[in-house]
Amino acid sequence: MHLHLRTCFAAAALVALNSCANTGAPAGKPAATSPVEAAFTREAAVGDAGETAAEAQTRRTNNAEVELELWNRPDFKRWFAASYLAESEVEPRTTTVERDQLQAIFEAMSEDRMDKALTELGKRRGAEANAVFDFTLANIHFQNEELDTARDLYALAVDKYPKFRRAWRNMALIDFRQGEFEKAAAAFTKVIELGGNDAVTYGLLAYSYSNLEDHIAAESAYRMAVLLEPRNADWRMGLARSFFKQQRYADAVALCDALIAVEPERADLWLLQANALLGLGKPMDAARNYEFVESLGRSTPESLQMLADIYVNEELFDLAVERHVSALEMSDAVKVDRAVRAAKVLTSRGALGATRRLVESVDRLRGSTLSDAERKDVLKLRARLAVADGAGEAEATVLREIVELDPLDGEALILLGQHSARGGDPEQAIFYFERAANLEAFEANAKVHHAQLLVGQSRYAEALPLLRRAQTLSHRDNIQEYLEQVERVSQGR
């Protein structure tokens, strides 16, 4: 610790010493500038502002350091500095002798003789010693980022003096920073019970509840924090997220509107509002938000995939392909499952050109790393494209490769049956249809295709039981109409 910081640290402690006297005088107020502003001068580890609400929550829960801009704010440092200032009724009293001992310790600290200060503190501590000594030593360890040691000492201080509010607050800060949100919530609540009704305490309590998925409690605490510190963006953003988690999407959208008006280039606000708009059933409004984030250069793979899915549902297929490809290009860690799922939808809707571009991009970007299941899905898509191109043998080659990977793939077996039927080999086609019909999930479709082949051979009586069984398994109006037509033709014969 640099000398000038030691001096400031000790100066604050001397003020605290005067307010710990047995006179009962009210605690002194913190100076306009913090004597321990060095306590939180580390860089705030703020994550990518473009991440979604769900990713932001996971990051905060898993990280050892909870990431807020708050740590670097001067007013927060002043707030922490107040932990050196004693407060009446929530402080252990010190005798004249203890105050003299503390003064000697603080003077050693101000002269950058920390070894001397630590030695003296060690001498004064013990089971019967004043909790102020434990607290002072805890603060030194806290300021030196020795969090586990500091927390143990704060816990000892509150065991000795349960109303020691400053110790409760600093212990809560350590729990918060270490991701121990249940402990942090309990300690911050204790601070509030002891009169610590400031915005930071309420805000960090809300943050703790949010990470514990108690969003109603988080909302209540965030409202108090916003009431006490209305211009703090952290608290308002937290409140908006609590609305979203409670599925109060209209409230989340309205609050995001107010926040965006003040900070229009914050990508996280646009993304949170986009998610809320989706909750309200307004996908194209959400798409505009996602596109604005893209214009800011702050898109994430998740936001691009969400945008692509919206475009698929709105049948804007070319835009959907473009966004899926952008997501895959953004990071090798992006999985292909959503792109493949989109390609299946595109083929079902006849968008074969868009499907082909997407499949080719998947092959180009991930072809060497596909799992067996992913490779099988891509092969099926190729088979469907081959059918559309009239490349019958290419289709069969791909389908046989699929069946080799998974002999129980009913869809591939049905496609092979169709290929054999088109190729003039009805017996082979029936063989594949019957194999597929032995698989419960594909029985209905396989029997319909088998029946259609028989009808093509004018074998109506044989086709009817297959169609009736298919309808029993999965009733479909168009198949019912076809069944009735076959019945009429069969009876007419």
Side-chain angles (χ1 to χ4, degrees):
M1 185 183 293
H2 296 301
L3 179 59
H4 73 282
L5 293 179
R6 297 282 187 216
T7 303
C8 292
F9 177 81
L14 288 170
V15 176
L17 178 60
N18 291 331
S19 60
C20 284
N22 284 323
T23 60
K29 295 183 178 179
T33 57
S34 169
V36 287
E37 286 191 358
F40 291 92
T41 53
R42 65 179 179 81
E43 288 291 327
V46 178
D48 185 349
E51 65 192 348
T52 64
E55 291 170 337
Q57 292 289 3
T58 300
R59 174 174 57 77
R60 289 187 169 95
T61 301
N62 292 338
N63 283 2
E65 293 280 340
V66 177
E67 301 153 353
L68 283 177
E69 291 285 3
L70 174 71
W71 301 128
N72 276 345
R73 285 173 36 202
D75 58 331
F76 175 78
K77 297 170 188 176
R78 288 194 293 273
W79 180 83
F80 175 74
S83 68
Y84 283 95
L85 305 177
E87 301 168 79
S88 62
E89 298 185 2
V90 288
E91 296 289 331
R93 298 300 182 184
T94 56
T95 65
T96 301
V97 172
E98 289 169 338
R99 283 188 290 120
D100 289 341
Q101 293 168 344
L102 286 167
Q103 183 163 347
I105 291 167
F106 296 149
E107 287 174 354
M109 292 165 59
S110 70
E111 296 168 2
D112 202 30
R113 293 184 295 135
M114 290 304 296
D115 290 343
K116 172 69 173 175
L118 291 170
T119 299
E120 289 300 316
L121 277 170
K123 291 178 182 179
R124 308 306 173 196
R125 291 182 59 244
E128 302 301 322
N130 195 307
V132 172
F133 291 104
D134 302 297
F135 175 80
T136 302
L137 182 58
N139 266 8
I140 294 173
H141 286 295
F142 193 179
Q143 194 160 328
N144 290 335
E145 296 291 322
E146 297 161 355
L147 302 184
D148 291 336
T149 302
R151 193 196 187 283
D152 290 342
L153 290 166
Y154 288 132
L156 180 59
V158 298
D159 282 343
K160 289 181 177 180
Y161 193 83
K163 294 178 66 176
F164 202 164
R165 188 169 73 198
R166 291 185 293 151
W168 279 111
R169 183 181 65 178
N170 288 3
M171 186 164 62
L173 287 173
I174 290 174
D175 289 333
F176 186 88
R177 287 180 54 183
Q178 293 185 321
E180 297 286 348
F181 296 112
E182 189 167 355
K183 293 179 180 178
F188 281 127
T189 299
K190 187 67 176 179
V191 173
I192 292 169
E193 289 175 0
L194 294 171
N197 300 312
D198 58 277
V200 173
T201 298
Y202 276 113
L204 297 185
L205 174 62
Y207 222 93
S208 299
Y209 279 132
S210 180
N211 280 280
L212 293 171
E213 302 295 327
D214 188 346
H215 301 296
I216 294 176
E219 178 192 344
S220 298
Y222 274 129
R223 285 187 181 278
M224 289 300 299
V226 171
L227 179 66
L228 295 168
E229 197 174 24
R231 296 184 181 179
N232 186 309
D234 281 330
W235 312 149
R236 287 180 175 270
M237 185 65 174
L239 182 58
R241 286 198 177 102
S242 74
F243 288 151
F244 180 81
K245 291 292 185 178
Q246 295 175 69
Q247 299 183 15
R248 293 167 54 186
Y249 301 124
D251 290 334
V253 168
L255 184 50
C256 284
D257 271 336
L259 294 171
I260 287 169
V262 178
E263 298 182 271
E265 295 193 359
R266 272 191 66 171
D268 56 340
L269 293 172
W270 289 97
L271 290 172
L272 178 60
Q273 188 180 59
N275 292 337
L277 287 165
L278 287 175
L280 289 174
K282 298 180 178 180
M284 290 309 294
D285 288 343
R288 282 190 283 273
N289 277 36
Y290 288 128
E291 289 289 4
F292 185 77
V293 172
E294 174 69 2
S295 73
L296 293 175
R298 301 301 300 276
S299 289
T300 66
E302 173 68 18
S303 69
L304 288 171
Q305 289 175 323
M306 288 293 293
L307 182 56
D309 288 345
I310 291 171
Y311 286 148
V312 168
N313 291 333
E314 297 296 321
E315 299 191 349
L316 300 170
F317 300 131
D318 290 336
L319 290 174
V321 170
E322 181 182 334
R323 292 304 179 227
H324 270 306
V325 173
S326 295
L328 292 171
E329 290 175 337
M330 184 171 285
S331 170
D332 291 340
V334 178
K335 296 181 179 180
V336 301
D337 54 342
R338 290 176 74 164
V340 170
R341 186 165 63 246
K344 291 178 181 178
V345 175
L346 294 178
T347 56
S348 69
R349 298 186 185 180
L352 299 179
T355 303
R356 185 172 289 105
R357 289 195 300 277
L358 189 50
V359 169
E360 289 172 353
S361 296
V362 169
D363 272 336
R364 173 174 56 85
L365 296 168
R366 298 289 190 277
S368 61
T369 61
L370 293 174
S371 67
D372 284 349
E374 291 166 343
R375 186 172 292 106
K376 185 173 69 173
D377 284 335
V378 172
L379 288 171
K380 287 180 185 178
L381 289 166
R382 283 185 188 165
R384 289 171 180 164
L385 292 171
V387 170
D389 292 339
E393 193 50 43
E395 173 201 11
T397 301
V398 173
L399 290 172
R400 291 188 189 102
E401 189 176 345
I402 293 171
V403 172
E404 286 178 8
L405 284 171
D406 183 3
L408 300 180
D409 190 314
E411 184 180 359
L413 290 167
I414 290 171
L415 288 171
L416 274 172
Q418 291 176 291
H419 169 76
S420 297
R422 287 195 302 272
D425 190 349
E427 295 305 317
Q428 185 69 21
I430 290 172
F431 169 73
Y432 284 124
F433 291 144
E434 288 179 342
R435 279 183 64 182
N438 288 328
L439 303 170
E440 182 178 352
F442 299 94
E443 182 181 357
N445 281 342
K447 288 189 179 300
V448 168
H449 287 293
H450 188 174
Q452 288 172 334
L453 184 150
L454 294 174
V455 168
Q457 296 177 324
S458 301
R459 296 160 64 181
Y460 305 112
E462 295 176 57
L464 285 171
L466 297 173
L467 291 170
R468 291 178 183 132
R469 173 62 178 167
Q471 284 297 87
T472 300
L473 292 170
S474 176
H475 185 87
R476 287 169 285 183
D477 291 341
N478 62 322
I479 300 301
Q480 183 63 34
E481 291 177 7
Y482 183 68
L483 169 60
E484 291 169 358
Q485 290 172 2
V486 174
E487 285 177 333
R488 286 195 294 271
V489 173
S490 177
Q491 292 168 1
R493 292 174 63 90

